[in-house]
Protein backbone atom coordinates (compact mmCIF):
# COMPACT_ATOMS: atom_id res chain seq x y z
CA UNK A 1 0.00 0.00 0.00
CA UNK A 2 1.61 3.23 -1.21
CA UNK A 3 0.81 6.38 0.74
CA UNK A 4 1.83 9.99 0.33
CA UNK A 5 4.42 9.39 3.04
CA UNK A 6 6.39 7.12 0.68
CA UNK A 7 6.81 9.92 -1.83
CA UNK A 8 10.21 11.57 -1.81
CA UNK A 9 11.92 8.49 -0.31
CA UNK A 10 13.72 5.36 -1.51
CA UNK A 11 14.66 2.13 0.19
CA UNK A 12 17.70 2.12 2.44
CA UNK A 13 19.05 -0.70 0.25
CA UNK A 14 19.28 1.68 -2.72
CA UNK A 15 21.06 4.24 -0.54
CA UNK A 16 23.54 1.61 0.65
CA UNK A 17 24.32 0.80 -2.98
CA UNK A 18 24.96 4.48 -3.71
CA UNK A 19 27.35 4.71 -0.77
CA UNK A 20 29.15 1.53 -1.83
CA UNK A 21 29.66 2.94 -5.31
CA UNK A 22 30.84 6.28 -3.92
CA UNK A 23 33.42 4.51 -1.76
CA UNK A 24 34.64 2.40 -4.68
CA UNK A 25 35.21 5.59 -6.65
CA UNK A 26 37.00 7.23 -3.71
CA UNK A 27 34.39 9.91 -2.98
CA UNK A 28 35.20 11.42 0.45
CA UNK A 29 32.57 10.49 3.03
CA UNK A 30 32.61 13.96 4.61
CA UNK A 31 30.68 15.21 1.61
CA UNK A 32 27.63 13.08 2.35
CA UNK A 33 27.91 11.45 5.80
CA UNK A 34 25.86 14.24 7.42
CA UNK A 35 22.85 13.76 5.13
CA UNK A 36 19.46 12.68 6.46
CA UNK A 37 19.00 8.93 6.75
CA UNK A 38 22.69 7.97 6.80
CA UNK A 39 23.01 7.29 10.52
CA UNK A 40 23.80 3.55 10.91
CA UNK A 41 20.55 2.80 12.73
CA UNK A 42 18.61 4.13 9.72
CA UNK A 43 20.88 3.12 6.85
CA UNK A 44 21.13 -0.48 8.07
CA UNK A 45 17.42 -0.82 8.80
CA UNK A 46 15.55 -2.21 5.79
CA UNK A 47 12.30 -0.70 7.09
CA UNK A 48 13.66 2.85 6.91
CA UNK A 49 13.18 4.80 3.70
CA UNK A 50 15.88 7.37 3.02
CA UNK A 51 15.04 10.82 1.61
CA UNK A 52 15.45 10.66 -2.17
CA UNK A 53 17.42 13.90 -1.94
CA UNK A 54 20.10 12.04 0.03
CA UNK A 55 20.65 9.47 -2.72
CA UNK A 56 20.61 12.16 -5.37
CA UNK A 57 23.27 14.15 -3.55
CA UNK A 58 25.53 11.10 -3.31
CA UNK A 59 25.07 10.52 -7.05
CA UNK A 60 25.90 14.18 -7.73
CA UNK A 61 29.13 13.93 -5.77
CA UNK A 62 30.03 10.73 -7.61
CA UNK A 63 29.29 11.96 -11.14
CA UNK A 64 31.49 15.01 -10.53
CA UNK A 65 34.41 12.61 -10.25
CA UNK A 66 33.49 9.81 -12.70
CA UNK A 67 31.37 9.48 -15.86
CA UNK A 68 27.74 8.61 -15.20
CA UNK A 69 28.10 5.60 -17.49
CA UNK A 70 30.67 4.06 -15.14
CA UNK A 71 28.50 4.75 -12.09
CA UNK A 72 25.59 2.90 -13.66
CA UNK A 73 27.78 -0.13 -14.37
CA UNK A 74 29.23 -0.26 -10.85
CA UNK A 75 25.77 0.07 -9.29
CA UNK A 76 24.58 -2.90 -11.36
CA UNK A 77 27.66 -4.95 -10.51
CA UNK A 78 27.03 -4.40 -6.80
CA UNK A 79 23.36 -5.38 -7.08
CA UNK A 80 23.43 -9.13 -6.60
CA UNK A 81 20.11 -10.96 -6.33
CA UNK A 82 18.76 -10.28 -2.85
CA UNK A 83 20.41 -6.88 -2.47
CA UNK A 84 17.03 -5.19 -2.92
CA UNK A 85 15.14 -7.66 -0.78
CA UNK A 86 11.73 -9.01 -1.75
CA UNK A 87 11.59 -6.85 -4.89
CA UNK A 88 14.37 -8.96 -6.44
CA UNK A 89 12.56 -12.21 -5.74
CA UNK A 90 9.31 -10.95 -7.24
CA UNK A 91 11.13 -11.19 -10.59
CA UNK A 92 13.29 -14.26 -10.12
CA UNK A 93 10.65 -16.49 -8.51
CA UNK A 94 7.62 -15.81 -10.73
CA UNK A 95 6.23 -18.48 -13.09
CA UNK A 96 7.71 -16.58 -16.07
CA UNK A 97 10.15 -13.66 -16.32
CA UNK A 98 7.36 -11.54 -17.82
CA UNK A 99 5.07 -12.17 -14.86
CA UNK A 100 7.97 -11.36 -12.57
CA UNK A 101 8.73 -8.00 -14.17
CA UNK A 102 5.02 -7.16 -14.04
CA UNK A 103 5.05 -7.76 -10.29
CA UNK A 104 8.24 -5.70 -10.04
CA UNK A 105 6.51 -2.84 -11.87
CA UNK A 106 3.54 -2.98 -9.50
CA UNK A 107 5.86 -2.88 -6.48
CA UNK A 108 8.62 -0.58 -7.76
CA UNK A 109 7.86 1.78 -4.89
CA UNK A 110 9.45 -0.74 -2.51
CA UNK A 111 12.83 0.40 -3.78
CA UNK A 112 12.24 3.63 -5.74
CA UNK A 113 10.58 7.00 -5.18
CA UNK A 114 6.96 6.54 -6.37
CA UNK A 115 6.65 10.26 -7.04
CA UNK A 116 9.39 10.28 -9.70
CA UNK A 117 10.04 6.76 -11.03
CA UNK A 118 7.81 4.33 -12.91
CA UNK A 119 8.39 0.98 -14.61
CA UNK A 120 6.24 0.31 -17.69
CA UNK A 121 5.88 -2.81 -19.79
CA UNK A 122 4.65 -2.78 -23.40
CA UNK A 123 3.99 -5.97 -25.37
CA UNK A 124 4.43 -5.32 -29.08
CA UNK A 125 3.93 -8.51 -31.02
CA UNK A 126 7.15 -10.51 -30.83
CA UNK A 127 8.88 -7.90 -28.68
CA UNK A 128 8.48 -6.68 -25.12
CA UNK A 129 9.63 -3.17 -24.20
CA UNK A 130 10.47 -2.38 -20.56
CA UNK A 131 10.67 1.36 -19.86
CA UNK A 132 11.96 3.24 -16.84
CA UNK A 133 10.27 6.63 -16.67
CA UNK A 134 11.92 9.50 -14.82
CA UNK A 135 11.13 13.09 -15.77
CA UNK A 136 14.50 14.62 -14.82
CA UNK A 137 16.35 16.53 -17.53
CA UNK A 138 18.41 14.47 -19.99
CA UNK A 139 21.51 16.50 -19.23
CA UNK A 140 21.32 15.83 -15.48
CA UNK A 141 24.01 13.19 -15.03
CA UNK A 142 22.83 11.62 -11.75
CA UNK A 143 19.44 10.92 -13.39
CA UNK A 144 21.19 9.52 -16.47
CA UNK A 145 23.13 7.12 -14.24
CA UNK A 146 19.96 6.02 -12.42
CA UNK A 147 18.05 5.38 -15.67
CA UNK A 148 20.90 3.39 -17.17
CA UNK A 149 21.36 1.43 -13.94
CA UNK A 150 17.64 0.65 -13.72
CA UNK A 151 17.58 -0.87 -17.21
CA UNK A 152 20.70 -2.91 -16.46
CA UNK A 153 19.13 -4.08 -13.20
CA UNK A 154 15.97 -5.26 -14.99
CA UNK A 155 18.10 -7.14 -17.51
CA UNK A 156 20.10 -8.87 -14.77
CA UNK A 157 17.03 -9.91 -12.79
CA UNK A 158 15.28 -11.24 -15.89
CA UNK A 159 18.42 -13.19 -16.80
CA UNK A 160 18.51 -14.62 -13.28
CA UNK A 161 14.87 -15.67 -13.64
CA UNK A 162 15.50 -17.34 -17.00
CA UNK A 163 18.80 -18.79 -15.73
CA UNK A 164 20.57 -17.65 -18.89
CA UNK A 165 21.99 -14.40 -20.17
CA UNK A 166 19.32 -12.39 -21.98
CA UNK A 167 20.70 -9.99 -24.57
CA UNK A 168 18.38 -7.09 -25.45
CA UNK A 169 17.45 -6.26 -29.02
CA UNK A 170 18.10 -2.59 -28.30
CA UNK A 171 18.45 -0.05 -25.51
CA UNK A 172 17.27 3.56 -25.57
CA UNK A 173 18.34 6.14 -23.00
CA UNK A 174 16.85 9.52 -22.21
CA UNK A 175 20.35 10.89 -21.69
CA UNK A 176 22.76 13.19 -23.42
CA UNK A 177 25.21 11.25 -25.57
CA UNK A 178 28.34 10.60 -23.45
CA UNK A 179 31.88 10.91 -24.80
CA UNK A 180 32.37 7.17 -24.30
CA UNK A 181 29.93 4.44 -23.46
CA UNK A 182 32.08 1.33 -23.18
CA UNK A 183 30.69 0.80 -19.68
CA UNK A 184 27.16 0.65 -21.06
CA UNK A 185 28.15 -1.84 -23.76
CA UNK A 186 29.56 -3.99 -20.98
CA UNK A 187 26.43 -3.45 -18.87
CA UNK A 188 23.90 -4.44 -21.54
CA UNK A 189 25.96 -6.80 -23.69
CA UNK A 190 25.02 -4.94 -26.88
CA UNK A 191 26.21 -1.97 -28.94
CA UNK A 192 22.69 -1.17 -30.07
CA UNK A 193 22.26 1.75 -27.65
CA UNK A 194 20.43 4.93 -28.65
CA UNK A 195 20.94 8.16 -26.70
CA UNK A 196 18.80 11.29 -26.37
CA UNK A 197 15.70 9.14 -26.81
CA UNK A 198 12.26 10.27 -25.57
CA UNK A 199 12.32 7.54 -22.91
CA UNK A 200 14.68 4.97 -21.41
CA UNK A 201 13.83 1.42 -22.40
CA UNK A 202 15.23 -2.04 -22.97
CA UNK A 203 13.64 -4.37 -25.53
CA UNK A 204 13.65 -8.18 -25.52
CA UNK A 205 12.21 -10.90 -27.68
CA UNK A 206 8.86 -11.92 -26.23
CA UNK A 207 9.99 -15.55 -26.35
CA UNK A 208 12.83 -14.70 -23.94
CA UNK A 209 10.40 -13.54 -21.27
CA UNK A 210 7.38 -15.81 -21.68
CA UNK A 211 9.03 -19.19 -21.16
CA UNK A 212 8.62 -20.83 -17.73
CA UNK A 213 11.07 -19.87 -15.00
CA UNK A 214 13.12 -23.04 -14.34
CA UNK A 215 12.95 -22.88 -10.54
CA UNK A 216 9.48 -21.35 -10.04
CA UNK A 217 7.49 -22.80 -7.13
CA UNK A 218 3.68 -22.84 -7.10
CA UNK A 219 2.29 -20.25 -4.71
CA UNK A 220 5.58 -18.51 -4.01
CA UNK A 221 4.66 -15.35 -5.94
CA UNK A 222 1.59 -14.94 -3.75
CA UNK A 223 3.74 -15.14 -0.62
CA UNK A 224 6.17 -12.61 -2.07
CA UNK A 225 3.42 -10.14 -2.96
CA UNK A 226 2.09 -10.42 0.58
CA UNK A 227 5.56 -9.77 1.95
CA UNK A 228 5.88 -6.78 -0.41
CA UNK A 229 2.62 -5.35 0.94
CA UNK A 230 3.87 -5.83 4.49
CA UNK A 231 7.15 -4.11 3.62
CA UNK A 232 5.34 -1.03 2.31
CA UNK A 233 2.93 -0.96 5.26
CA UNK A 234 5.75 -1.21 7.81
CA UNK A 235 8.10 1.26 6.10
CA UNK A 236 9.41 4.27 7.99
CA UNK A 237 9.81 7.23 5.61
CA UNK A 238 12.47 9.64 6.86
CA UNK A 239 11.61 13.02 5.41
CA UNK A 240 13.15 15.41 7.91
CA UNK A 241 14.90 15.76 11.25
CA UNK A 242 11.69 15.24 13.21
CA UNK A 243 11.19 11.86 11.50
CA UNK A 244 14.69 10.86 12.52
CA UNK A 245 14.07 11.97 16.11
CA UNK A 246 10.81 10.05 16.33
CA UNK A 247 12.44 6.92 14.97
CA UNK A 248 15.20 7.21 17.59
CA UNK A 249 12.66 7.84 20.34
CA UNK A 250 10.59 4.80 19.31
CA UNK A 251 13.67 2.57 19.24
CA UNK A 252 14.69 3.67 22.76
CA UNK A 253 11.10 3.25 23.94
CA UNK A 254 11.12 -0.36 22.77
CA UNK A 255 14.11 -1.08 25.00
CA UNK A 256 13.42 0.95 28.15
CA UNK A 257 11.66 4.03 29.47
CA UNK A 258 13.01 6.79 27.18
CA UNK A 259 15.08 9.60 28.63
CA UNK A 260 16.37 12.72 26.96
CA UNK A 261 20.05 11.71 27.36
CA UNK A 262 19.38 8.23 25.94
CA UNK A 263 17.73 9.59 22.80
CA UNK A 264 20.40 12.28 22.44
CA UNK A 265 23.10 9.59 22.55
CA UNK A 266 21.19 7.57 19.94
CA UNK A 267 21.20 10.61 17.67
CA UNK A 268 24.81 11.57 18.50
CA UNK A 269 23.91 15.07 19.71
CA UNK A 270 23.94 16.83 23.09
CA UNK A 271 20.75 17.07 25.14
CA UNK A 272 20.87 20.84 24.72
CA UNK A 273 21.01 20.52 20.93
CA UNK A 274 18.19 18.00 20.98
CA UNK A 275 15.94 20.30 22.99
CA UNK A 276 16.78 23.22 20.69
CA UNK A 277 15.90 21.20 17.59
CA UNK A 278 12.60 20.13 19.13
CA UNK A 279 11.82 23.78 19.82
CA UNK A 280 12.64 24.62 16.19
CA UNK A 281 10.04 22.06 15.14
CA UNK A 282 7.38 23.52 17.46
CA UNK A 283 7.24 20.53 19.77
CA UNK A 284 8.59 19.51 23.17
CA UNK A 285 10.22 16.48 24.74
CA UNK A 286 7.21 15.82 26.96
CA UNK A 287 4.76 16.01 24.05
CA UNK A 288 6.84 13.62 21.96
CA UNK A 289 7.23 11.12 24.81
CA UNK A 290 3.49 11.25 25.42
CA UNK A 291 2.82 10.55 21.74
CA UNK A 292 5.36 7.71 21.73
CA UNK A 293 3.71 6.15 24.78
CA UNK A 294 0.28 6.49 23.22
CA UNK A 295 1.41 4.80 20.02
CA UNK A 296 3.28 2.08 21.92
CA UNK A 297 0.35 1.29 24.22
CA UNK A 298 -2.14 1.27 21.37
CA UNK A 299 0.00 -1.24 19.48
CA UNK A 300 0.33 -3.47 22.55
CA UNK A 301 -3.42 -3.40 23.16
CA UNK A 302 -4.20 -4.25 19.53
CA UNK A 303 -1.36 -6.63 18.80
CA UNK A 304 -0.78 -8.61 22.01
CA UNK A 305 -2.69 -10.40 24.78
CA UNK A 306 -0.66 -8.70 27.52
CA UNK A 307 -2.61 -7.64 30.59
CA UNK A 308 -3.17 -3.98 31.34
CA UNK A 309 -0.78 -4.30 34.29
CA UNK A 310 1.95 -5.73 32.04
CA UNK A 311 1.43 -3.00 29.43
CA UNK A 312 1.60 -0.33 32.13
CA UNK A 313 4.91 -1.74 33.37
CA UNK A 314 6.33 -1.85 29.85
CA UNK A 315 5.23 1.71 29.12
CA UNK A 316 6.65 3.47 32.16
CA UNK A 317 3.42 3.91 34.12
CA UNK A 318 3.36 3.33 37.89
CA UNK A 319 0.37 0.98 37.69
CA UNK A 320 -2.68 -0.02 35.67
CA UNK A 321 -4.74 2.85 37.12
CA UNK A 322 -2.34 5.42 35.68
CA UNK A 323 -2.50 3.69 32.29
CA UNK A 324 -6.31 3.65 32.37
CA UNK A 325 -6.36 7.38 33.09
CA UNK A 326 -4.05 8.01 30.13
CA UNK A 327 -6.16 5.94 27.73
CA UNK A 328 -9.29 7.71 28.98
CA UNK A 329 -7.60 11.07 28.30
CA UNK A 330 -6.51 10.06 24.79
CA UNK A 331 -9.56 8.18 23.56
CA UNK A 332 -12.36 8.75 26.05
CA UNK A 333 -12.63 5.00 26.72
CA UNK A 334 -10.98 2.18 28.65
CA UNK A 335 -8.08 -0.07 27.58
CA UNK A 336 -10.44 -3.06 27.48
CA UNK A 337 -12.91 -1.24 25.21
CA UNK A 338 -10.10 0.02 22.99
CA UNK A 339 -8.78 -3.54 22.65
CA UNK A 340 -12.24 -4.87 21.75
CA UNK A 341 -13.07 -2.22 19.17
CA UNK A 342 -9.64 -2.28 17.52
CA UNK A 343 -9.74 1.44 16.77
CA UNK A 344 -7.07 2.89 14.44
CA UNK A 345 -3.85 4.35 15.77
CA UNK A 346 -3.82 7.56 17.78
CA UNK A 347 -4.60 10.94 16.30
CA UNK A 348 -1.57 12.42 14.63
CA UNK A 349 -0.39 9.12 13.11
CA UNK A 350 -0.92 8.14 9.51
CA UNK A 351 -4.51 7.18 10.34
CA UNK A 352 -3.98 3.67 9.04
CA UNK A 353 -4.51 0.62 11.24
CA UNK A 354 -1.37 -1.25 12.21
CA UNK A 355 -1.13 -4.10 9.65
CA UNK A 356 -2.18 -7.42 11.12
CA UNK A 357 0.31 -10.23 11.27
CA UNK A 358 -0.46 -13.22 9.09
CA UNK A 359 -0.52 -16.85 10.05
CA UNK A 360 2.31 -19.16 9.03
CA UNK A 361 2.48 -20.18 5.38
CA UNK A 362 3.99 -23.48 4.33
CA UNK A 363 5.50 -23.90 0.88
CA UNK A 364 8.08 -26.39 -0.37
CA UNK A 365 11.69 -25.57 -1.08
CA UNK A 366 14.55 -23.53 0.32
CA UNK A 367 13.48 -20.33 -1.45
CA UNK A 368 10.06 -20.41 0.20
CA UNK A 369 11.59 -21.02 3.62
CA UNK A 370 14.00 -18.13 3.15
CA UNK A 371 11.22 -15.76 2.10
CA UNK A 372 8.95 -16.80 4.93
CA UNK A 373 11.82 -16.26 7.35
CA UNK A 374 12.14 -12.67 6.11
CA UNK A 375 8.37 -12.24 6.43
CA UNK A 376 8.50 -13.37 10.05
CA UNK A 377 11.38 -10.98 10.77
CA UNK A 378 9.53 -8.05 9.22
CA UNK A 379 6.30 -8.90 11.01
CA UNK A 380 8.12 -9.07 14.32
CA UNK A 381 9.87 -5.73 13.79
CA UNK A 382 7.25 -3.63 12.12
CA UNK A 383 5.15 -3.07 15.22
CA UNK A 384 8.09 -1.70 17.17
CA UNK A 385 9.37 0.55 14.40
CA UNK A 386 6.27 2.45 13.30
CA UNK A 387 6.92 6.19 13.43
CA UNK A 388 5.24 8.40 16.02
CA UNK A 389 3.47 11.31 14.44
Amino acid sequence: MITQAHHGTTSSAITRLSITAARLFGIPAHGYAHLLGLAPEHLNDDLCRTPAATGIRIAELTTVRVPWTELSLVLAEQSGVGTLGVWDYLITSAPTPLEGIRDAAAYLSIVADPSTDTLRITEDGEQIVISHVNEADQSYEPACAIRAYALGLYQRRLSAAAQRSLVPLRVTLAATTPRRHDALIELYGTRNIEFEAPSSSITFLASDLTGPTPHAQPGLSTVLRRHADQTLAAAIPLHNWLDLFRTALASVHDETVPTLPAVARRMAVSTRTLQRRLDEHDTTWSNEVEAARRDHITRLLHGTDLSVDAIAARSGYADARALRRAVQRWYGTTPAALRRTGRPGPAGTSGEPVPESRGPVTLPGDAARAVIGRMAETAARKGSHRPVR
Side-chain angles (χ1 to χ4, degrees):
M1 175 179 58
I2 304 171
T3 69
Q4 193 67 30
H6 293 87
H7 288 205
T9 65
T10 64
S11 73
S12 57
I14 287 288
T15 307
R16 290 195 297 267
L17 279 172
S18 297
I19 290 175
T20 297
R23 288 172 176 165
L24 289 173
F25 285 120
I27 308 303
H30 64 75
Y32 57 80
H34 62 285
L35 298 174
L36 286 177
L38 298 192
E41 63 267 26
H42 303 131
L43 186 62
N44 297 325
D45 187 340
D46 287 335
L47 292 183
C48 286
R49 291 182 63 89
T50 311
T54 292
I56 291 170
R57 181 54 182 159
I58 297 171
E60 286 177 339
L61 293 170
T62 306
T63 53
V64 166
R65 295 275 294 270
V66 300
W68 64 264
T69 54
E70 293 185 20
L71 174 58
S72 60
L73 174 61
V74 167
L75 286 170
E77 289 175 338
Q78 297 299 314
S79 300
V81 174
T83 302
L84 301 180
V86 66
W87 186 85
D88 283 341
Y89 299 113
L90 286 169
I91 304 175
T92 60
S93 302
T96 67
L98 179 57
E99 290 176 75
I101 198 67
R102 284 174 177 161
D103 278 347
Y107 287 98
L108 183 65
S109 55
I110 285 180
V111 293
D113 180 355
S115 67
T116 59
D117 293 83
T118 308
L119 196 172
R120 296 177 183 170
I121 302 162
T122 305
E123 298 180 57
D124 184 12
E126 296 182 353
Q127 300 180 3
I128 294 174
V129 181
I130 299 170
S131 303
H132 186 91
V133 180
N134 180 294
E135 300 300 329
D137 192 85
Q138 290 195 7
S139 62
Y140 185 50
E141 294 194 352
C144 295
I146 291 168
R147 295 182 190 117
Y149 160 62
L151 298 184
L153 179 65
Y154 304 152
Q155 178 187 9
R156 287 174 180 240
R157 292 299 178 269
L158 290 168
S159 295
Q163 291 194 341
R164 61 188 178 89
S165 179
L166 300 181
V167 179
L169 297 175
R170 62 184 171 276
V171 176
T172 67
L173 286 168
T176 302
T177 305
R179 293 181 180 179
R180 298 174 59 89
H181 60 279
D182 303 40
L184 298 182
I185 294 172
E186 181 179 349
L187 175 59
Y188 303 124
T190 181
R191 294 181 177 275
N192 193 7
I193 305 171
E194 176 188 344
F195 297 97
E196 301 185 28
S199 63
S200 299
S201 67
I202 188 165
T203 302
F204 297 95
L205 285 171
S207 57
D208 282 340
L209 304 188
T210 53
T213 300
H215 53 272
Q217 298 181 46
L220 183 55
S221 287
T222 300
V223 174
L224 291 167
R225 286 191 291 270
R226 180 187 301 173
H227 182 40
D229 286 329
Q230 291 177 344
T231 298
L232 285 170
I236 306 169
L238 303 174
H239 291 286
N240 54 43
W241 181 89
L242 195 56
D243 287 329
L244 299 180
F245 163 77
R246 287 171 173 166
T247 302
L249 175 60
S251 66
V252 171
H253 199 294
D254 291 336
E255 300 166 3
T256 183
V257 177
T259 64
L260 187 66
V263 175
R265 282 194 300 271
R266 187 67 57 94
M267 298 185 72
V269 298
S270 68
T271 56
R272 190 171 181 178
T273 297
L274 181 55
Q275 289 177 312
R276 177 174 55 79
R277 295 300 302 274
L278 288 171
D279 184 61
E280 290 171 355
H281 286 80
D282 296 320
T283 186
T284 65
W285 169 255
S286 59
N287 286 344
E288 293 297 326
V289 170
E290 177 84 349
R293 278 184 172 179
R294 181 180 59 195
D295 185 61
H296 183 70
I297 289 167
T298 303
R299 284 190 277 104
L300 290 177
L301 286 170
H302 290 166
T304 74
D305 294 324
L306 292 172
S307 68
V308 174
D309 287 295
I311 292 175
R314 288 191 177 198
S315 305
Y317 285 94
D319 52 35
R321 291 178 59 188
L323 175 58
R324 290 190 180 96
R325 287 195 297 269
V327 172
Q328 181 68 37
R329 184 172 68 254
W330 297 331
Y331 297 115
T333 188
T334 65
L338 182 63
R339 173 170 270 167
R340 284 196 304 271
T341 58
R343 283 174 55 177
T349 68
S350 63
E352 300 290 343
V354 176
E356 296 180 358
S357 59
R358 306 276 184 149
V361 181
T362 303
L363 287 176
D366 292 339
R369 285 191 289 272
V371 170
I372 293 167
R374 287 183 60 86
M375 286 180 63
E377 179 184 355
T378 298
R381 297 173 60 206
K382 68 181 179 180
S384 64
H385 282 75
R386 289 186 67 81
V388 181
R389 298 292 181 192

